[in-house]
Structure formats: structure tokens, C-alpha cells
Amino acid sequence: MPRAQHDYDDIPGTFVFDAERSRQGYGINMFCMSLMKDENRKAFKANEAEYLKKFPLTPEQATAILNREYNRLLELGGNIYFTAKLGATDGHSFRHLAATMTGASQDDYAKMMLGGGRSVEGNRSKSGRDKLAPKSAKAKSAKPKAVKPKAVKPKSKAKSRSKARSKRG
């Protein structure tokens, strides 16, 4: 079944890990979590394709794992914190993975992040629609509605009496 589209799917450069992606990526994430144990890492490295048969993976997910297509793993439901275990199994740092996923060198990636990250300019929407902008000129000029203050609820008499008694000593 195709994935339902959401407004946040328009954000460039990322795949939001929501409940639907979590369900979709269950096999990927269970595989990645298995790599926390040394004996599993060794078994995986000895025969990667055979080891993957232990998990409920689609052919696309298995291919993405075998080819170390990290962005594709996220698109197919992988959680970045779990998929990082695959990179660590290969001896890579998270900085290496992030640089690979952004198409930058490790040094360029580190400089970008230390400089405050990517510019928001040009990175607000894949489709070109700026979701943060008002939808019409009318929305820009609309005045905020006055907010009516809520009525304060009087304290119960029982609470008031007990406070009065405690003050008298």
C-alpha cells in the first residue's frame, strides 16, 4: 500500500520518521538494533545477504542495506539512530554518515554544522510552495481577534476555611 502524503513530506533533505514510517521500517530497525551485539555484527559481516533473511525486509529494504544507501533506508522507514548502527558496524562515525547522506565531505559537513547548519533559503519546500508563508494576501492583513479573558473560578468554601484556620494557628 502506498504511503499517505503529509504536508511535512514537502520538507527537502529529510524523511520525517512518523508512525507510518515506523511500521514500514520495522524490519530495517530490528536488523540495525541486532547489530548492537558483537556476535550479530560478526554474523552479518560474514554473510550479509544471508543474515538479512532473519528480518521481515522488503527486497527494496534489503538492497538499500546491502548497498549502504542510508537516505533510501530513511525513506523506507529506517530510524537514523538505528541505521547509524549499520555505519558503525562498517567502522564509520556518525559524521561520516551524515556527510555521505548530504553529499558533502566530512570537513565541509562539519564546517556547515558549526556555522549554524544549512540556510533555510531554498530549503523550505521540495515543491516550491513555501508552507510557512500566508496562503493569501487577505491572511497577511487579517487582524488578530481579541481574546476574551477567562473568568476566574472562585475557590471552594471548604478550602478557604481550612486556610483561614491554618493562618490563625
Side-chain angles (χ1 to χ4, degrees):
M1 180 155 80
R3 180 176 157 70
Q5 290 297 302
H6 304 279
D7 283 346
Y8 52 74
D9 289 330
D10 197 40
I11 301 168
T14 193
F15 299 99
V16 175
F17 187 73
D18 58 10
E20 192 173 352
R21 275 219 167 81
S22 176
R23 285 187 294 278
Q24 178 189 14
Y26 178 81
I28 295 171
N29 296 317
M30 291 301 98
F31 153 71
C32 289
M33 290 301 292
S34 79
L35 298 176
M36 291 178 65
K37 294 184 179 179
D38 186 49
E39 64 266 19
N40 293 339
R41 290 189 298 274
K42 287 177 182 170
F44 173 65
K45 293 305 274 183
N47 189 337
E48 294 184 3
E50 189 62 32
Y51 185 81
L52 292 180
K53 291 178 182 177
K54 297 178 180 185
F55 302 92
L57 299 166
T58 67
E60 295 85 9
Q61 291 171 331
T63 298
I65 291 168
L66 294 172
N67 294 335
R68 305 308 196 265
E69 297 169 352
Y70 291 98
N71 287 330
R72 181 75 174 135
L73 287 170
L74 299 183
E75 183 180 10
L76 295 171
N79 177 292
I80 186 63
Y81 298 106
F82 297 161
T83 57
K85 294 176 186 340
L86 175 59
T89 297
D90 290 336
H92 300 300
S93 67
F94 193 85
R95 179 173 135 174
H96 169 86
L97 295 176
T100 299
M101 292 168 76
T102 59
S105 72
Q106 288 188 56
D107 288 338
D108 287 344
Y109 176 78
K111 286 176 192 172
M112 175 187 66
M113 295 309 290
L114 290 170
R118 287 185 181 166
S119 167
V120 297
E121 297 307 317
N123 283 312
R124 292 185 186 263
S125 142
K126 291 177 189 174
S127 66
R129 294 174 295 161
D130 188 346
K131 298 282 186 194
L132 301 177
K135 295 188 183 203
S136 69
K138 188 178 179 183
K140 287 182 185 179
S141 64
K143 292 181 182 178
K145 293 181 180 178
V147 178
K148 201 177 198 182
K150 290 184 178 180
V152 178
K153 203 175 183 182
K155 293 181 183 177
S156 73
K157 290 183 181 181
K159 286 183 182 177
S160 298
R161 280 189 222 126
S162 66
K163 283 185 181 179
R165 277 189 223 124
S166 65
K167 285 183 182 175
R168 286 187 282 200

